[in-house]
């Protein structure tokens, strides 16, 4: 059977010369349209020219050197006739061509036409015009991209009669034999492909052909699949691969698409692309093989173009991008170069024959822009040049596409984008392609105005995806620049920021170049600094395990944008932490509180937001102190960790919420130059106090005092902040805030505060049910006493302060005593007397400080009694003598010394002159003579005024051994020196009973002294006067005389 056109050798003779070009299609001449002539489309012209026995002689085409900006003229290689003869001989000749790999596209006659960027078709947008309607004239034309009509030029068509039925039948039979699996050799395969291609010519006017082909599409696809798979994957030794491309092209030109639709067709598309892209580099081919490769790739390029010549919905383009995508990102240079060249020819063809209709099905615009833009920065020169040209053609497609699909609401945005683009064209003129080549990241500035939010997201995602290309650091760098530029220019049109942040965090671990990492982090900074996206970005970053890994830590540390946005970022992060403190105390701490604290620590450590840190210092400091209070005693098991967060790592037992809060607080002080405050905290173990359950308030007081002493200005800022801050949050929030606030009341500016923020607030705290608030209230009042203007207001609170002396909490009592010592001279007599009675009850308190300072205040109160009131308090003073005298024997030297001091005040009040023995520091039982002198003095002075013996006996049961021993010893001495008749009248039974109980005391010295005292009591009861017979007891006690 004849091989139809292929049998005549035209196809086997070789394809068109590599640099041949077709002229722009023009209207068919009426003279050439005879009977049976068809209205031929441009796509059909591709088929007719391949079926023509005449070959277009090779022509040279000017090509752009995008690096130099010049136009180079390359001569055609070889002779077309020689080439055809060589192919007939199956590549047997030694025809040689240059070994450099060169991808030759399917070209047009006007490829070398004007490249000047004229703006004649851009209608000036009149200022002040109320209409926003766009017309075709609003869209600028790009030189060299004029849309061509789909009519054909008669000068490239040969008049051919329709194929008769006999030939059609023979072709069908040949094809069916191929279906049956008889394609064993190359000749049979080429015959099958030639028959199928020839039969495609009859499709427009032969129903049998149309019915056969459409009913056997699945068989054709299957057979082509087999043919492609049988080709050797990494070598080029036959014409079958090229003829498969040509056959698919012929059928596509007749609207029979073998590559779109079912899974089998998609698989065929994948295979044919892989079969050409994965061929070895031309540099490894022989001269003859290289020639065949050039023609094969040329056929592949024509095949791709035939798919988009009539693609009004851009559905085919979307599929082509899908299949070329992995090859455009291949790590092999020659594969990437071929894929880029193929895409360039597709976009070039589409841009010249663009005829769009709605609805468009092009879903990969942003993805394509990103790929081509990044390839413009490819280290391979040819890849970069092809990509720059692709962007050039893609820009024209986008202009027309957006003009069609944008509605009236978005037309104003389109006009702005067109105006921006027009200015770009006017600026760069002839160097547009060169500009894309030299500055690929600037493509985002030009195209972002034409892309919607989804397409921008695609662009971002694709750019991030290319960051995984570790073999080409330069592409990584271009990707970083592109991302940063796009984020700056399209900052308010992102909708999938969480997804973008997810990609960023995933890719950081594989990016090793410092410049690229910085660009990526700058992109995060730009997102975070925009109020629209701040919460989205922070929420995403905070939803990671703490402590943050080194990549996320670097993100936090490197956040840096211009003011005032850094303040906004830091404030947003701070607000998230504060919101956790405002909630009622939960069973578990919110995870965001721990994450935000760790984030603040990393931000402080990076110190990129230093100005914002100084500006927000009061809020930051107080919030972190409150977080410390909330974190005391907690472990990570007490934190409400989101499920699945720690799937790949376990939480270390050393990691606690408190350690994060402490780290952040310390770093904040260091970064804000509070070095002395930091040192004070360390020297006084302030950090341990701050993180302790019982010492937290003391740590807060210490830090507040340090700040007030060393940095008064910052302290004042904190105080003004705390005014409204005190009423917020839960109890822990209020306690820490109040504790810091009351320490700052010592500041000179505190007197300017309204009473409602100072004295009135302290009054409220004094009445609070929480004893810690009462401590804070008293401490605040004490600090306010330093301002004379505040004393009168504080005096009105004396009843509350005096009542505080009855508290069981030591700190409350001591704070109250401190305040009363300052106000005692100004008290009225009623308050003074009530206070003295309360203080008397504190004598002998087991808390040494309370005991001591209660005596101190009692002495101050005695001094403050005015002459008219002295008679009224004389009884209280007399009653205090015995306790004071006995406590002068206390084991605590400070208490004993204070007792002697206060008893002196009492004696002065009573106008007594105390014997010098009272001031002796030796125990009475060691020097009984001195004790006797003291006893005789007080027995004489108190006689008839108070029952000194009964008072002393009460202290014989005191829990302190020295006081108990002194009381028993004093009872014995009193029994000796007082009037025995009076003693008998009073009765000694109770005295003797109490003393006998002490005989069983485990302390030997007390037992001996008790025996001595009991004997003295018994002798006083039996005889009117004491006798010398007790000398042996005195000798037993070590005394030389009675």
């Amino acid at each position: 059977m004849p091989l139809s056109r292929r049998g005549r050798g035209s196809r086997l003779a070789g394809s068109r010369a590599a640099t041949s070009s077709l002229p722009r299609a023009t209207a068919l001449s009426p003279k050439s349209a005879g009977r049976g002539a068809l209205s031929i489309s441009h796509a059909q012209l591709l088929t007719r020219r391949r079926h023509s026995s005449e070959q277009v002689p090779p022509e040279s085409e000017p090509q752009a050197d995008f690096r130099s900006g010049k136009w180079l003229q390359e001569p055609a290689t070889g002779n077309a006739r020689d080439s055809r003869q060589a192919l007939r001989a199956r590549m047997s000749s030694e025809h040689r061509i240059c070994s450099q790999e060169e991808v030759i596209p399917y070209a047009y006659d006007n490829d070398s036409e004007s490249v000047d960027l004229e703006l004649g078709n851009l209608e000036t947008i009149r200022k002040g015009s109320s209409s926003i309607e766009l017309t075709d004239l609003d869209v600028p034309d790009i030189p060299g991209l004029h849309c061509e009509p789909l009519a054909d030029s008669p000068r490239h068509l040969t008049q051919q009669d329709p194929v008769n039925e006999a030939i059609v039948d023979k072709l069908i039979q040949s094809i069916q034999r191929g279906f049956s699996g008889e394609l064993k050799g190359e000749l049979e395969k080429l015959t099958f492909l030639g028959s199928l291609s020839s039969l495609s010519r009859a499709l427009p006017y032969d129903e049998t052909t149309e019915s056969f082909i459409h009913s056997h599409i699945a068989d054709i696809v299957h057979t082509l699949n087999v043919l492609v798979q049988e080709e050797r994957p990494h070598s080029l030794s036959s014409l079958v691969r090229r003829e498969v491309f040509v056959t698919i092209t012929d059928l596509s030109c007749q609207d029979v698409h073998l590559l779109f639709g079912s899974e089998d067709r998609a698989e065929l598309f994948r295979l044919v692309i892989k079969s050409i892209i994965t061929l070895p580099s031309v540099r490894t081919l022989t001269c003859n093989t290289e020639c065949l490769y050039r023609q094969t790739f040329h056929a592949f390029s024509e095949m791709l173009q035939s798919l988009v010549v009539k693609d009004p919905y851009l559905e085919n383009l979307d599929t082509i991008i899908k299949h070329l995508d992995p090859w455009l990102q291949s790590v092999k240079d020659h594969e990437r170069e071929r894929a880029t060249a193929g895409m360039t020819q597709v976009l070039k063809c589409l841009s010249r024959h663009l005829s769009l209709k709605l609805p468009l099905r092009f879903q990969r615009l942003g993805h394509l822009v990103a790929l081509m833009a990044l390839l413009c920065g490819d280290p391979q020169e040819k890849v970069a040049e092809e990509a720059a040209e692709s962007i050039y053609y893609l820009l024209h497609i986008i202009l027309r596409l957006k003009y069609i699909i944008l509605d009236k609401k978005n037309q104003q945005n389109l006009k702005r984008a067109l105006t921006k683009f027009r200015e770009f064209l006017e600026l760069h003129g002839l160097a547009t392609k060169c500009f894309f080549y030299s500055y690929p990241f600037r493509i985002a500035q030009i195209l972002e105005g034409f892309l919607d939010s989804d397409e921008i997201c695609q662009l971002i995602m694709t750019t991030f995806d290319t960051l995984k290309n570790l073999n080409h650091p330069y592409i990584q760098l271009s990707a970083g620049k592109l991302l940063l530029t796009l984020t700056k220019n399209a900052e308010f049109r992102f909708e999938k920021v969480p997804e973008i942040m997810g990609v960023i965090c995933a890719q950081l671990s594989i990016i090793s170049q410092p410049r690229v990492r910085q660009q990526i982090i700058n992109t995060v900074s730009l997102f975070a600094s925009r109020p629209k996206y701040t919460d989205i970005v922070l929420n995403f970053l905070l939803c990671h395990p703490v402590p943050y890994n080194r990549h996320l830590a670097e993100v936090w540390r490197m956040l840096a944008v211009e003011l005032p946005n850094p303040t906004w970022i830091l404030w947003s992060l701070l607000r998230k932490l504060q919101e956790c403190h405002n909630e009622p105390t939960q069973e578990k701490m919110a995870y965001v509180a721990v994450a935000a604290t760790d984030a603040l620590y990393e931000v402080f450590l990076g110190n990129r937001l230093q100005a914002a840190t100084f500006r927000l210092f009061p809020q930051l400091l107080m919030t972190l102190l409150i977080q410390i209070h909330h974190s005391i005693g907690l472990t990570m098991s007490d934190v409400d960790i989101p499920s699945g967060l720690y799937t790949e790592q376990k939480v270390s037992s050393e990691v606690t919420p408190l350690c994060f809060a402490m780290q952040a607080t310390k770093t904040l002080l260091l970064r804000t130059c509070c070095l002395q405050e930091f040192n004070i905290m360390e020297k006084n173990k302030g950090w341990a106090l701050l993180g302790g359950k019982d010492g937290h308030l003391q740590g807060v007081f210490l830090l507040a005092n340090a700040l007030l002493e060393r940095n008064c200005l910052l302290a004042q800022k904190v105080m003004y902040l705390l005014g409204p801050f005190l009423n917020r949050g839960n109890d822990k929030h209020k306690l820490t805030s109040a504790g810091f606030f009351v320490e700052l009341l010592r500041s000179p500016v505190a007197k300017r505060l309204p009473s409602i923020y100072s004295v009135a607030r302290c009054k409220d705290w004094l009445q609070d049910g929480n004893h810690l608030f009462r401590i804070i209230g008293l401490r605040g009042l004490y600090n306010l006493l330093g301002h004379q203007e505040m004393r009168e207001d504080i005096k009105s609170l004396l009843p509350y302060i005096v009542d505080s002396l009855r508290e069981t909490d030591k700190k409350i009592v001591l704070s109250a005593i401190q305040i009363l010592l300052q106000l005692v001279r100004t008290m009225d007599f009623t308050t003074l007397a009530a206070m003295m009675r309360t203080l008397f009850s504190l004598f002998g308190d087991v808390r040494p400080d309370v005991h001591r300072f209660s005596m101190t205040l009692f002495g101050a109160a005695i001094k403050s009694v005015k002459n008219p009131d002295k008679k009224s308090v004389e009884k209280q003073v007399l009653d205090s003598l015995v306790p004071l005298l006995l406590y002068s024997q206390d084991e605590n030297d400070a208490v004993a010394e204070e007792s002697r001091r206060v008893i002196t005040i009492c004696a002065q009040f009573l106008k007594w002159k105390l014997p010098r023995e009272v001031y002796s520091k030796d125990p009475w039982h060691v020097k009984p003579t001195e004790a006797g002198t003291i006893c005789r003095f007080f027995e004489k002075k108190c006689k008839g005024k108070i029952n000194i013996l009964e008072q002393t006996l009460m202290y014989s049961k005191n829990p302190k051994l020295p006081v108990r021993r002194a009381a028993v010893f004093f009872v014995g001495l009193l029994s000796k020196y007082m009037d025995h008749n009076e003693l008998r009248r009073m009765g000694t039974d109770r005295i003797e009973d109490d003393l006998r109980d002490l005989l069983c005391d485990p302390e030997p010295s007390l037992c001996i002294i008790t025996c001595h005292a009991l004997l003295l009591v018994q002798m006083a009861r039996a005889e009117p006067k004491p006798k010398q017979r007790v000398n042996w007891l005195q000798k037993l006690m070590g005394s030389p005389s009675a």
Side-chain angles (χ1 to χ4, degrees), residues 707-806:
L707 189 67
L708 185 61
E709 291 176 8
R710 303 297 181 179
N711 202 327
C712 188
L713 182 61
L714 277 180
Q716 291 172 8
K717 289 182 178 180
V718 176
M719 184 177 66
Y720 285 129
L721 162 75
L722 287 174
F725 207 64
L726 295 172
N727 294 326
R728 300 178 186 173
N730 52 33
D731 282 348
K732 291 183 177 180
H733 182 290
K734 293 176 180 177
L735 276 171
T736 303
S737 303
F740 207 96
F741 175 75
V742 296
E743 287 304 300
L744 300 181
L745 292 177
R746 294 191 297 112
S747 170
V749 298
K751 59 187 177 184
R752 304 176 190 170
L753 291 174
S755 177
I756 191 174
Y757 289 120
S758 54
V759 178
R761 185 157 281 163
C762 291
K763 177 184 177 181
D764 294 338
W765 289 331
L766 285 177
Q767 302 175 69
D768 196 280
N770 190 330
H771 74 284
L772 293 176
F773 277 111
R774 296 198 293 276
I775 293 174
I776 290 171
L778 290 169
R779 197 174 183 95
L781 291 175
Y782 177 76
N783 290 331
L784 287 172
L785 285 172
H787 311 297
Q788 292 295 328
E789 302 86 347
M790 314 290 288
R791 283 180 172 255
E792 288 301 320
D793 293 332
I794 296 173
K795 284 175 63 177
S796 63
L797 302 180
L798 278 173
Y800 299 101
I801 301 172
V802 172
D803 287 343
S804 298
L805 295 174
R806 298 187 178 92

Side-chain angles (χ1 to χ4, degrees), residues 649-762:
Q649 66 183 87
K650 295 182 179 179
V651 185
S652 172
S653 58
E654 297 178 359
V655 175
T656 63
L658 182 61
C659 74
F660 293 124
M662 281 292 188
Q663 282 180 340
T665 307
K666 292 178 181 180
T667 312
L668 174 64
L669 291 178
L670 294 173
R671 287 304 190 191
T672 51
C673 303
C674 296
L675 303 180
Q676 295 185 14
E677 293 85 339
F678 183 89
N679 187 45
I680 290 173
M681 290 292 289
E682 277 199 338
K683 282 187 174 180
N684 295 277
K685 300 181 180 180
W687 300 119
L689 288 173
L690 201 60
K693 185 175 181 180
D694 297 325
H696 175 73
L697 271 181
Q698 292 301 317
V700 171
F701 295 153
L702 180 62
L703 180 56
N705 276 303
L707 189 67
L708 185 61
E709 291 176 8
R710 303 297 181 179
N711 202 327
C712 188
L713 182 61
L714 277 180
Q716 291 172 8
K717 289 182 178 180
V718 176
M719 184 177 66
Y720 285 129
L721 162 75
L722 287 174
F725 207 64
L726 295 172
N727 294 326
R728 300 178 186 173
N730 52 33
D731 282 348
K732 291 183 177 180
H733 182 290
K734 293 176 180 177
L735 276 171
T736 303
S737 303
F740 207 96
F741 175 75
V742 296
E743 287 304 300
L744 300 181
L745 292 177
R746 294 191 297 112
S747 170
V749 298
K751 59 187 177 184
R752 304 176 190 170
L753 291 174
S755 177
I756 191 174
Y757 289 120
S758 54
V759 178
R761 185 157 281 163
C762 291

Side-chain angles (χ1 to χ4, degrees), residues 65-273:
D65 180 355
F66 299 128
R67 293 189 183 272
S68 63
K70 299 178 181 179
W71 296 91
L72 305 178
Q73 185 78 13
E74 292 186 1
T77 57
N79 180 275
R81 185 176 300 276
D82 292 340
S83 177
R84 288 192 293 270
Q85 295 298 331
L87 287 173
R88 280 197 191 93
R90 301 297 309 278
M91 308 300 179
S92 61
S93 69
E94 294 297 322
H95 179 70
R96 301 184 62 83
I97 58 176
C98 65
S99 61
Q100 184 179 4
E101 179 165 1
E102 182 178 0
V103 177
I104 305 299
Y106 167 61
Y108 295 86
D109 283 348
N110 61 348
D111 282 349
S112 60
E113 289 181 357
S114 171
V115 294
D116 58 323
L117 303 178
E118 299 176 1
L119 298 171
N121 291 334
L122 181 62
E123 183 182 56
T124 302
I125 300 174
R126 297 178 180 176
K127 297 181 179 180
S129 174
S130 61
S131 173
I132 62 170
E133 295 294 332
L134 284 171
T135 67
D136 244 353
L137 295 178
D138 286 321
V139 183
D141 285 338
I142 302 177
L145 296 179
H146 305 295
C147 292
E148 298 185 359
L150 296 182
D152 297 318
S153 174
R155 56 194 177 96
H156 287 286
L157 296 177
T158 57
Q159 187 66 34
Q160 297 181 11
D161 295 329
V163 182
N164 58 43
E165 290 186 11
I167 296 177
V168 168
D169 291 340
K170 290 181 180 181
L171 293 174
I172 290 175
Q173 291 174 9
S174 174
I175 294 169
Q176 287 178 330
R177 285 195 296 273
F179 290 160
S180 63
E182 298 180 6
L183 306 177
K184 302 301 182 182
E186 181 180 353
L187 184 60
E188 287 82 359
K189 295 177 182 179
L190 294 175
T191 300
F192 169 79
L193 293 171
S195 299
L196 189 57
S197 185
S198 298
L199 186 62
S200 66
R201 285 189 299 155
L203 273 172
Y205 47 81
D206 187 85
E207 293 181 357
T208 302
T209 300
E210 182 179 7
S211 175
F212 173 80
I213 289 181
H214 284 289
S215 62
H216 290 81
I217 290 291
D219 295 328
I220 296 172
V221 171
H222 174 73
T223 305
L224 293 180
N225 255 310
V226 173
L227 293 179
V228 174
Q229 291 177 17
E230 289 178 351
E231 288 295 296
R232 296 175 64 183
H234 300 298
S235 67
L236 187 63
S237 58
S238 73
L239 297 173
V240 174
R241 185 183 278 107
R242 187 193 72 183
E243 293 305 306
V244 169
F245 299 151
V246 173
T247 301
I248 294 173
T249 302
D250 291 341
L251 288 169
S252 297
C253 291
Q254 300 298 339
D255 294 329
V256 178
H257 294 293
L258 303 180
L259 306 179
F260 305 124
S262 65
E263 292 183 3
D264 291 340
R265 301 185 193 187
E267 178 63 17
L268 176 60
F269 201 176
R270 186 189 68 80
L271 284 175
V272 297
I273 291 178

